[in-house]
Amino acid sequence: MREMSVVANKEREKYPEKWIGMPASRFLKYRSWINKGKPGICGTYCSAVLIHDAIYQETRKSLNRDVLLKGLKVVVDNLMPYRGTYFWDVAFGIRRILADMPEWKVRMGLIPEKIVPEVLSKKGAGPIVVGTNILLNSQYKNHWLVVYAYGYNEEGKLYFRAYDNHGRYKAIIPASQTISCVWLEKNS
């Protein structure tokens, strides 16, 4: 047991000291948004947090979590006949929910290591739904998280700070373990 904590502490020491993006406190309210389903619906939860945060930042009004999750589950995790949720499923579901809100544009892309720093460095940027992948040695395997900050450690390795729908709102993941992302942009 002690050996594991020493290894964990050594790994933790490699995390960035400075984060660029949004403060973790903004995502504290989502700590209770826990995905307990089997199989999980992480794409739905992350889409819900992305939409909820965008609407809350714009209006200071909180959407009903259960209604949002129920609506998104239909168009994100349950729409296609295949197992799993891909970035196009997340983007499609968010587009469907926001169809009557033309001020938002849903964007998606590959290579979060490039996209996340670009997007989060812009003034007024919101968080980004990011997918991890088992083939990239992710401890999460194939999973969705909501990234709200990024940072480089002393060795220059890029990390993301994120809401994880397993009950953590300050999860830290290596950017090298991510493969795709979806985010919202305000139309001009």
Side-chain angles (χ1 to χ4, degrees), residues 60-132:
R60 292 294 181 221
K61 293 184 180 168
S62 191
L63 301 174
N64 182 290
R65 177 188 70 181
D66 296 332
V67 171
L68 192 55
L69 287 170
K70 186 176 179 180
L72 278 162
K73 184 178 178 187
V74 173
V75 293
V76 173
D77 281 296
N78 290 348
L79 188 64
M80 301 310 258
Y82 48 78
R83 191 166 184 256
T85 307
Y86 297 91
F87 69 99
W88 55 82
D89 298 318
V90 172
F92 176 81
I94 294 169
R95 278 190 192 105
R96 289 292 301 249
I97 295 297
L98 297 179
D100 294 331
M101 299 181 77
E103 60 267 24
W104 294 104
K105 178 176 20 177
V106 179
R107 304 288 310 267
M108 63 180 172
L110 299 171
I111 314 173
E113 287 179 272
K114 181 178 186 292
I115 295 170
V116 169
E118 283 178 13
V119 172
L120 291 182
S121 294
K122 294 178 185 174
K123 185 179 181 195
I128 304 170
V129 176
V130 173
T132 62

Side-chain angles (χ1 to χ4, degrees), residues 9 17 20 30 44 47 53 56 70 73 76-77 93 96 98 102 105 134 138 153 157 165 177 180:
N9 286 335
E17 291 184 25
I20 301 162
Y30 302 115
T44 291
S47 298
D53 181 72
Y56 185 80
K70 186 176 179 180
K73 184 178 178 187
V76 173
D77 281 296
R96 289 292 301 249
L98 297 179
K105 178 176 20 177
I134 192 171
S138 171
N153 69 6
K157 185 174 179 180
N165 55 72
Q177 296 176 357
S180 57

Side-chain angles (χ1 to χ4, degrees), residues 36-53:
K36 295 179 183 174
K38 297 280 184 200
I41 54 170
C42 57
T44 291
Y45 271 82
C46 288
S47 298
V49 167
L50 187 74
I51 292 171
H52 186 278
D53 181 72

